[in-house]
Amino acid sequence: MRPHIPSVKLLIAFLIVLSLWRMPPPCKAQLLDVTVYTNKISYIPDENLTIYGNLTFQSSPVEENGLVGLQLNDPESPVFLRTVKVGPFTRNPLVNILSVSPCDFYMNPKSRFERGEEVYFRVIVKNYDVVPHEVLITVSVFESLGRPFGVPSTYTLTMDPGGVVDARFGPVIIPIWAKSGEAGVYANVFSGWPSNRGTPYCPEKSAVFTIVGLEDDCPEGYFEYQSSSSNSYELRVKLSPESRSGQYRIHASASYLGHSAYSTRTFTVPSGPYPPKAYFEYVPYPESWVGANMTFDASMSVALGYGDRITKYKWNFGDGTIVEKTTPKITKVYNSAGTFTVTLNVTDNEGFWNAVSKNVTVLTEKKDIAVTKLESLTEIYADWIVNVTFTVKNLGGPNPATFNVKIMLNETVIHAYSVINLAPWPSGVLTMTHSWNTTGLTPYVRYILKVEVEALEGEVNTENNVLSLLIKKVKMLGDVDGDKDIDIYDVVSVTSRYNSKPGDPNWNVQADLIRNNIINIYDVVAVAGKYGTRWPS
């Protein structure tokens, strides 16, 4: 009997099954896709840079809750890290940034810094999840024109479930070329470096501080441009004047509903050479008077390119006086009233030059009272004592001035002073500190703190008669982490700093609930006595 021969159909079916069994599993389609572009492929130092792109999920536009982490690297190191939103962000992040604050060396909040000064930062982050998370906390700093400075600071750790991290960064030195006005610090939290495909946990959080210039030229708001709509994002910044030449790479790492995507883009900064940029400030500003000892400062002039420097400053003061120096500051006295065109010409170490001119008005007499400094904690408690420090200057001359000063919260006067015969500039400077009792403030409402001086009769400039400061958060006394819930984390925030004083490494003024400059049993009792209190949402 002959053996049974399978039919051709059965043999073909067997071969198909065998081939399918031996094939690798099909690749999973990428559900989330991100793109990243720049408006140019080549830039020079100090040039505007626009980064933009799209975010899609299953080939459809992401309309909300999309996050794109951006990391810009120069040829040697990171330049900045940022997070941009795609559409409105309405979710409650599992890991979130509670606050970011510019600080002094002792980690006390501070709002005004001079060029060349060190600035430190504190970032409070909380893990709301029930499982641990690996986090990369970063801060990037930009001056008012949108130019980044300082290497981005980072902090890597594993956050326990429900844990709160008080991350501290610095120092970052404010460069001489930084524009005076309001600078911005941006705090971000990623699962890792975007260059390693780490994604943002939450939107970035920012804070402002003032870089004090010679003219106290502080514009309203700081340079910040982010835009987002359905499917798209855009970030506009400016390259540093000290940018290295070579290839730059942007890493874009996106997250949406638990999915992630990555893309990258490069551009170049040619080696140049480039001419410098001339800029100067002067005081008294904006007008001076006959006989005043004026100061002109060209420190913000910059030589473009990594390692370049300005070697010569040539001044023409418009009255026949021409002076050449190798340092950026110079003094000048005008002996007659009028408007004078002052021209500065700067030359760099490669022989390139650039010039700029400004008209300077010199009066016979000038009346100008200005509030030039206002400092206070911007995260405070109701039922607390807060020190408010302010500086008033007589920027006029040659006569002294008498006037009234008011400290206001929104439009309510909380204290008033009378100042008699404040000497003319430059010696006419008055700094005062007021102890502000915050009893009666409504928690978790923002307030505007203001110092205002009355205008003098015939005062030439009244815009600088008032200075404002945003009180970003008023908390219940004891809510150290600011999450509207006085819980075990707040108790630990106080007890872990027991016996610490200002200047100690673990000092935190938010734990000094009774305001006696030491964390002791009275602070522990204060937070324990309010344990379990929640503010209604």
Side-chain angles (χ1 to χ4, degrees):
M1 182 177 180
R2 291 188 304 173
H4 176 69
I5 299 176
S7 68
V8 174
K9 289 184 178 180
L10 287 175
L11 181 60
I12 292 174
F14 172 76
L15 292 174
I16 291 174
V17 170
L18 180 63
S19 64
L20 290 174
W21 176 74
R22 299 186 64 182
M23 286 177 62
C27 295
K28 183 180 179 180
Q30 182 168 318
L31 299 178
L32 187 67
D33 184 64
V34 64
T35 59
V36 59
Y37 305 99
T38 57
N39 58 321
K40 295 175 61 178
I41 61 173
S42 180
Y43 297 84
I44 66 172
D46 209 41
E47 188 173 3
N48 292 327
L49 165 67
T50 301
I51 302 171
Y52 64 98
N54 300 299
L55 188 64
T56 56
F57 182 70
Q58 294 181 328
S59 301
S60 297
V62 171
E63 297 184 352
E64 61 179 7
N65 297 318
L67 295 175
V68 180
L70 297 174
Q71 176 184 334
L72 175 63
N73 284 10
D74 70 13
E76 294 187 14
S77 60
V79 177
F80 64 76
L81 294 96
R82 299 288 300 271
T83 297
V84 291
K85 295 183 289 187
V86 178
F89 195 85
T90 59
R91 297 173 62 86
N92 293 320
L94 295 177
V95 178
N96 201 12
I97 304 168
L98 300 182
S99 66
V100 53
S101 305
C103 300
D104 61 16
F105 174 79
Y106 300 107
M107 287 298 166
N108 293 314
K110 184 177 178 180
S111 60
R112 294 170 71 84
F113 298 84
E114 296 182 359
R115 300 185 188 100
E117 192 174 356
E118 294 180 344
V119 55
Y120 296 77
F121 303 98
R122 293 182 62 186
V123 180
I124 310 297
V125 178
K126 184 169 183 176
N127 178 12
Y128 289 92
D129 206 353
V130 295
V131 297
H133 283 284
E134 297 287 335
V135 300
L136 171 72
I137 307 172
T138 74
V139 293
S140 297
V141 192
F142 293 74
E143 45 92 271
S144 62
L145 294 180
R147 299 180 291 192
F149 62 87
V151 177
S153 301
T154 61
Y155 193 96
T156 304
L157 76 158
T158 300
M159 291 194 67
D160 294 329
V164 176
V165 172
D166 183 352
R168 305 185 178 201
F169 302 93
V172 174
I173 299 176
I174 299 175
I176 297 300
W177 49 258
K179 178 74 171 66
S180 57
E182 288 189 339
V185 53
Y186 298 85
N188 288 270
V189 182
F190 303 96
S191 60
W193 287 91
S195 56
N196 293 332
R197 308 202 176 200
T199 56
Y201 281 108
C202 61
E204 67 183 16
K205 199 172 188 69
S206 64
V208 299
F209 60 94
T210 299
I211 298 176
V212 180
L214 192 63
E215 300 170 354
D216 281 326
D217 178 19
C218 302
E220 292 293 330
Y222 58 103
F223 182 95
E224 177 185 22
Y225 188 92
Q226 276 196 45
S227 70
S228 66
S229 59
S230 173
N231 185 39
S232 68
Y233 66 89
E234 182 176 293
L235 175 68
R236 296 182 189 176
V237 295
K238 197 177 181 75
L239 291 180
S240 164
E242 299 176 327
S243 296
R244 292 183 174 93
S245 60
Q247 186 182 80
Y248 285 61
R249 182 173 294 275
I250 303 167
H251 302 272
S253 188
S255 62
Y256 174 69
L257 299 180
H259 298 271
S260 63
Y262 172 82
S263 186
T264 186
R265 178 72 54 175
T266 61
F267 63 85
T268 60
V269 174
S271 58
Y274 308 105
K277 287 189 176 181
Y279 186 90
F280 69 89
E281 298 176 324
Y282 63 91
V283 288
Y285 172 86
E287 297 89 7
S288 185
W289 63 92
V290 174
N293 193 26
M294 298 185 68
T295 298
F296 291 80
D297 185 2
S299 297
M300 290 175 58
S301 298
V302 291
L304 300 187
Y306 188 75
D308 287 357
R309 66 189 188 282
I310 293 176
T311 58
K312 185 169 64 176
Y313 303 83
K314 185 176 181 180
W315 298 91
N316 185 332
F317 289 103
D319 64 346
T321 304
I322 299 176
V323 180
E324 189 173 295
K325 296 192 67 176
T326 57
T327 54
K329 290 186 179 181
I330 191 171
T331 58
K332 166 68 178 172
V333 175
Y334 285 95
N335 296 316
S336 60
T339 299
F340 302 88
T341 300
V342 178
T343 300
L344 167 68
N345 188 308
V346 297
T347 304
D348 67 14
N349 58 304
E350 296 177 307
F352 292 92
W353 62 272
N354 182 250
V356 66
S357 297
K358 290 185 179 182
N359 289 330
V360 176
T361 300
V362 179
L363 307 173
T364 302
E365 179 187 8
K366 177 184 177 182
K367 294 182 179 181
D368 187 9
I369 302 298
V371 184
T372 61
K373 178 181 178 182
L374 173 58
E375 290 187 339
S376 168
L377 296 175
T378 57
E379 184 172 316
I380 65 176
Y381 297 108
D383 306 314
W384 215 32
I385 300 297
V386 178
N387 289 330
V388 179
T389 300
F390 63 92
T391 298
V392 177
K393 292 183 180 180
N394 183 357
L395 298 180
N399 301 315
T402 297
F403 52 91
N404 295 320
V405 184
K406 296 182 293 186
I407 303 176
M408 306 174 68
L409 191 67
N410 293 345
E411 299 304 319
T412 301
V413 177
I414 59 177
H415 201 78
Y417 297 90
S418 292
V419 179
I420 299 174
N421 290 332
L422 183 62
W425 182 91
S427 59
V429 179
L430 176 66
T431 298
M432 303 184 70
T433 298
H434 171 69
S435 294
W436 171 30
N437 189 327
T438 64
T439 299
L441 296 188
T442 302
Y444 310 103
V445 172
R446 290 188 171 189
Y447 291 87
I448 300 294
L449 183 68
K450 295 191 292 186
V451 172
E452 182 176 339
V453 297
E454 66 177 4
L456 301 175
E457 183 178 354
E459 186 166 354
V460 296
N461 177 24
T462 58
E463 292 183 359
N464 57 11
N465 286 34
V466 60
L467 195 60
S468 301
L469 183 66
L470 174 65
I471 304 299
K472 296 184 294 184
K473 185 178 290 186
V474 178
K475 305 180 293 187
M476 296 183 295
L477 188 66
D479 183 15
V480 181
D481 60 16
D483 64 353
K484 301 183 181 182
D485 183 7
I486 301 177
D487 53 20
I488 189 62
Y489 301 108
D490 299 300
V491 175
V492 171
S493 293
V494 175
T495 56
S496 63
R497 294 173 172 85
Y498 198 83
N499 275 337
S500 66
K501 299 177 182 179
D504 291 345
N506 63 337
W507 168 256
N508 181 357
V509 68
Q510 299 294 323
D512 185 15
L513 301 179
I514 64 167
R515 297 295 277 145
N516 63 347
N517 288 327
I518 185 171
I519 312 301
N520 57 20
I521 189 62
Y522 299 105
D523 302 298
V524 176
V525 170
V527 67
K530 295 180 178 293
Y531 186 85
T533 305
R534 290 187 177 182
W535 187 259
S537 299

